[in-house]
Amino acid sequence: MNNFKRGLKAGIPIGLGYLSVSFTFGIMAVSTGFSWWQAVVISMTTLTSAGQFSGIKTMLIPGQYAEMLISQFTINIRYSFMSISLSQKLAPQFKSLSRWLLGFFITDEIFAVASTEKEVTRSYFGGLAVAPWFGWTLGTLSGALLGEVLPEQVMSALSLAIYGMFVAIITPEMKKSRPIVVVVIIAVALSCAFTYIPGLKEVSGGLAISICAIAAAGIGAALFPVKE
């Protein structure tokens, strides 16, 4: 029980942070045609910010299943690596169904906090996941309900908050590392190409995101290999 309380306490700041981001997701989902309850169900069953923002855009185009598979695989593959890494610290009692739940609840922030533990127990990880999941769900619900009543101009303005979040995540790392600066510039250049260049701009958003991410990461790995 003490481990659960300790995990719950550690997860509260993450949950509060998720409220604002998921609020934006709720607004964006409603503004693109989803109902409030559909937005909430998505957040309850898919705990991934970038994946959800990309997914709702792809879902609006009928029949784009292959594109959705590629874009979601590209965006969310990092969670698999995080789960594998964290599995090396799991307590012996952390087995079967518990590991499936770990895979579902793993996010960048939850992984970062759990990684500081010498041994991750089921009770600690369960407590750690509670606040982020509720924060993400309640934030989506709040944004979706307000999205039903707020003027379209206000919803469009609030939808820009997600881009501010991504900038806030990337900027500190860019200050620390020149290779990251180069990779970000490459990704931005490719994204602009898919937005403005004739022919390339006909490629749908989800597939363009996947191409930009893979190409920028591949070029970065070739230019700045990590020495073992």
Side-chain angles (χ1 to χ4, degrees):
M1 191 64 180
N2 288 334
N3 280 334
F4 180 84
K5 291 180 179 178
R6 196 163 55 85
L8 184 63
K9 183 178 180 181
I12 289 175
I14 301 175
L16 292 175
Y18 282 178
L19 275 171
S20 58
V21 179
S22 59
F23 183 88
T24 305
F25 172 74
I27 290 177
M28 182 175 288
V30 170
S31 67
T32 54
F34 290 87
S35 62
W36 68 267
W37 65 267
Q38 289 174 322
V40 173
V41 169
I42 291 173
S43 284
M44 290 177 67
T45 57
T46 314
L47 193 60
T48 164
S49 56
Q52 289 180 222
F53 281 95
S54 173
I56 59 174
K57 293 180 180 179
T58 309
M59 290 168 66
L60 295 175
I61 306 173
Q64 299 294 321
Y65 302 114
E67 179 184 329
M68 180 177 290
L69 176 63
I70 294 171
S71 62
Q72 293 302 310
F73 179 82
T74 305
I75 293 170
N76 297 318
I77 187 62
R78 70 186 190 278
Y79 295 131
S80 297
F81 298 123
M82 291 179 188
S83 299
I84 293 171
S85 175
L86 196 59
S87 68
Q88 309 305 308
K89 290 190 172 186
L90 299 183
Q93 297 79 13
F94 215 126
K95 297 180 180 179
S96 59
L97 180 60
S98 301
R99 289 178 177 256
W100 285 93
L101 292 175
L102 180 147
F104 173 77
F105 286 110
I106 201 75
T107 65
D108 300 308
E109 295 77 13
I110 290 176
F111 169 76
V113 173
S115 295
T116 62
E117 294 287 300
K118 291 184 178 180
E119 183 180 65
V120 181
T121 63
R122 289 185 299 180
S123 56
Y124 175 82
F125 189 84
L128 179 62
V130 169
W133 186 82
F134 274 104
W136 189 258
T137 302
L138 292 176
T140 299
L141 175 62
S142 301
L145 291 178
L146 286 176
E148 297 260 335
V149 297
L150 288 176
E152 184 177 348
Q153 294 85 347
V154 176
M155 290 193 298
S156 298
L158 290 174
S159 295
L160 294 175
I162 184 62
Y163 303 108
M165 183 200 73
F166 289 135
V167 171
I169 292 173
I170 294 172
T171 302
E173 298 302 319
M174 291 177 66
K175 291 180 179 180
K176 300 176 185 177
S177 173
R178 177 174 169 271
I180 292 180
V181 174
V182 175
V183 170
V184 170
I185 292 175
I186 293 172
V188 170
L190 290 173
S191 180
C192 291
F194 278 101
T195 303
Y196 299 109
I197 295 179
L200 288 181
K201 67 180 181 180
E202 304 301 324
V203 178
S204 56
L207 187 57
I209 290 174
S210 299
I211 294 173
C212 292
I214 295 173
I219 295 172
L223 294 177
F224 310 102
V226 178
K227 297 181 180 179
E228 297 185 2

